[in-house]
Amino acid sequence: MYKILLSITLVFLTELTFSQRWTETMHVEVDGLERNYELFVPENYSEGNDYPVVFVLHGGGGKAGRMPRFTKYRFNELAERDGFIAVYPNGYKKGWNDGDRDTLAVARRLNIDDVGFFDVLIDDLDAKLSIDRDRVFACGISNGGFMVQRLALERSEVFKAIAIVAANMSEDQQQIVPENPVSVLFICGTADPLVPYNGGPVTVLKQKRGEVVSVDKSLNFWKQQNGCFELAEESELPDTNTSDDCKVHKTVWKNPDDPNIRVVNLRVENGGHTWPGARQYLPETLIGNVNQDIDGCDVIWEFFKSVSL
């Protein structure tokens, strides 16, 4: 028993040490408010290189400091391995102003300028580090997934690509036309009990949190904006974990004039309001299944790399 407890302790300490070794809380001021973000810089960082930036946004009720552990520190590992800067921004009062979906969240009710927050944040990164402003990416889950779409809509000249986990598009977002194409990856579960795959009201603890359109309609919006009408791939991914009661169907559309512009859908059959490969952060009865056939972090980073060639 002592050996088992010692092994568990060592694993925990190793994980904790790795996650915190190069992570630092940074502060910026936006509209008189002090905002902050968690910064992970790879150990072999060199001023002589320009590094891609990957923003990782938490969901409603979450915090930036919890996202590395939530994703099993995988983005930090990938940043160390492949050389990019991982940034975990903090929403205002644990939420993001992703648009006019509802006014229940504090950030939306107070109309917090979260788009402006990212403007300041990127400039702050650029002043402190050697970043590649042509390779700026963002991903997020739930409220964070809605927010990265707002960023792509309003700052399409800034973000090369985005990835959305457990979020569709809100109806108000579909009224905005981005000025430039932005490659998009959706990872959504067909059995999501909070954000319905086929559209309808977002429901959290029996409370309606605004309307969303279906994932298919969301995909069609981005396909239209990006000129991605050519079906490039459709396949069932290997069901490597049969105990998770989920399978993943992949569809890729590309722009025939620029194949690096893509829209990708990873439809998680029977998947819940969850991040594939991550922790079961709440019981299945509340959020549904976590798919373990893929790792969301790996899939997202591979997608970002593929569209930045």
Side-chain angles (χ1 to χ4, degrees):
M1 177 63 73
Y2 173 77
K3 289 183 178 179
I4 294 173
L5 290 175
L6 179 60
S7 298
I8 293 173
T9 301
L10 288 173
V11 168
F12 174 76
L13 289 175
T14 300
E15 183 182 68
L16 190 62
T17 301
F18 178 80
S19 69
Q20 293 184 342
R21 183 177 182 185
W22 296 107
T23 302
E24 184 177 359
T25 303
M26 311 298 291
H27 299 270
V28 294
E29 185 175 307
V30 185
D31 293 338
L33 296 174
E34 183 178 295
R35 305 291 299 269
N36 61 77
Y37 61 95
E38 300 296 320
L39 176 65
F40 184 92
V41 179
E43 188 173 9
N44 63 353
Y45 169 83
S46 170
E47 286 288 344
N49 298 322
D50 289 336
Y51 291 81
V53 176
V54 176
F55 291 103
V56 186
L57 279 64
H58 62 75
K63 291 182 177 181
R66 296 175 183 169
M67 283 304 287
R69 185 171 185 270
F70 173 72
T71 53
K72 298 182 178 179
Y73 307 102
R74 185 57 178 162
F75 276 120
N76 294 3
E77 292 174 351
L78 293 169
E80 198 74 68
R81 185 192 76 186
D82 291 348
F84 66 85
I85 294 167
V87 183
Y88 305 89
N90 248 326
Y92 183 78
K93 303 292 185 182
K94 299 183 178 181
W96 300 103
N97 178 15
D98 55 48
D100 296 330
R101 181 160 51 89
D102 69 55
T103 57
L104 294 174
V106 176
R108 285 194 292 274
R109 185 167 67 249
L110 298 181
N111 196 26
I112 295 298
D113 185 9
D114 274 328
V115 175
F117 171 42
F118 280 87
D119 292 339
V120 173
L121 202 164
I122 292 170
D123 286 342
D124 191 56
L125 290 169
D126 202 7
K128 292 180 169 69
L129 299 164
S130 296
I131 67 170
D132 186 346
R133 296 193 75 137
D134 291 328
R135 291 188 291 169
V136 177
F137 309 100
C139 62
I141 183 171
S142 192
N143 183 201
F146 288 107
M147 186 63 210
V148 299
Q149 290 185 88
R150 182 175 188 184
L151 292 173
L153 291 167
E154 298 186 28
R155 295 294 186 271
S156 61
E157 76 281 7
V158 174
F159 291 89
K160 182 77 173 181
I162 60 169
I164 302 107
V165 181
N168 313 351
M169 291 190 80
S170 57
E171 292 184 337
D172 68 287
Q173 287 180 332
Q174 294 218 323
Q175 308 308 311
I176 304 171
V177 178
E179 295 180 359
N180 305 282
V182 179
S183 292
V184 175
L185 165 66
F186 279 89
I187 308 175
C188 299
T190 62
D192 188 327
L194 277 64
V195 181
Y197 192 91
N198 292 319
V202 175
T203 307
V204 181
L205 298 176
K206 298 182 180 181
Q207 189 177 49
K208 305 298 184 184
R209 306 296 294 269
E211 296 280 330
V212 296
V213 301
S214 68
V215 172
D216 286 344
K217 191 171 181 179
S218 303
L219 288 163
N220 286 336
F221 174 90
W222 286 110
K223 284 159 62 179
Q224 180 74 37
Q225 303 306 321
N226 291 334
C228 293
F229 302 113
E230 183 178 324
L231 181 63
E233 179 185 347
E234 187 163 13
S235 62
E236 296 287 342
L237 300 188
D239 187 14
T240 58
N241 188 323
T242 56
S243 65
D244 63 7
D245 200 25
C246 299
K247 293 183 179 180
V248 181
H249 182 91
K250 180 179 182 180
T251 311
V252 181
W253 298 270
K254 67 179 181 181
N255 183 314
D257 297 322
D258 186 348
N260 283 338
I261 302 173
R262 298 175 207 159
V263 173
V264 180
N265 185 32
L266 292 181
R267 187 180 72 238
V268 185
E269 300 289 351
N270 203 39
H273 194 75
T274 52
W275 185 292
R279 302 173 187 274
Q280 182 79 44
Y281 63 96
L282 286 172
E284 289 183 16
T285 52
L286 295 177
I287 61 171
N289 296 324
V290 179
N291 179 268
Q292 298 296 342
D293 299 321
I294 60 174
D295 186 302
C297 303
D298 286 76
V299 168
I300 288 169
W301 174 235
E302 288 302 318
F303 171 68
F304 289 163
K305 285 196 299 183
S306 73
V307 299
S308 61
L309 299 175

